[in-house]
Amino acid sequence: MDDLKKSPESVGAAASGVKRQISETAADAKETLTDAAGQLSEMAQTGTDKVKAAADYLRETELTAMAEDVKEIVKRYPGWSLAGAAVVGFLLAHVSSRNTNRFNKYY
């Protein structure tokens, strides 16, 4: 029964402790979210820079120079080049087979 008759001071102290814990948790969450937002911003900026560099390369480079660059990459990384060619071939085959199937049902 004594536990039920706590003094207002002890209830206030308990409420103050809970308030402090909530405040600390909110501050930690804010710091974590700020760090995550900063990392996301850096990743977005890096992606933007890479897309811009690729666009500049395509805009400024002639087709023959691009072919020479591809040849150098294939010589330097033959395994990755074969894997990339297989993926591109698979995707092209998949896209063309889907287009063919789409038109076959009308004829």
Side-chain angles (χ1 to χ4, degrees), residues 49-61 66:
D49 291 344
K50 289 187 180 199
V51 169
K52 184 178 181 298
D56 290 343
Y57 173 78
L58 291 173
R59 198 176 305 118
E60 297 169 0
T61 308
M66 285 184 206

Side-chain angles (χ1 to χ4, degrees), residues 10-11 14-15 23 35 64 75 85 92 98-99 103-104:
S10 66
V11 172
S23 176
D35 291 345
T64 55
K75 286 179 184 177
L92 288 174
R98 291 183 81 194
N99 288 337
F103 293 119
N104 281 343

Side-chain angles (χ1 to χ4, degrees), residues 25-97:
T25 302
D28 291 344
K30 179 185 174 194
E31 184 178 332
T32 302
L33 289 174
T34 301
D35 291 345
Q39 290 174 352
L40 184 60
S41 176
E42 287 177 24
M43 289 173 54
Q45 185 62 43
T46 300
T48 301
D49 291 344
K50 289 187 180 199
V51 169
K52 184 178 181 298
D56 290 343
Y57 173 78
L58 291 173
R59 198 176 305 118
E60 297 169 0
T61 308
E62 301 228 3
L63 193 57
T64 55
M66 285 184 206
E68 289 299 320
D69 290 344
V70 169
K71 286 179 185 177
E72 288 178 25
I73 291 171
V74 169
K75 286 179 184 177
R76 195 176 323 155
Y77 305 105
W80 285 106
S81 299
L82 285 173
V87 168
V88 169
F90 174 78
L91 291 175
L92 288 174
H94 184 69
V95 167
S96 68
S97 70

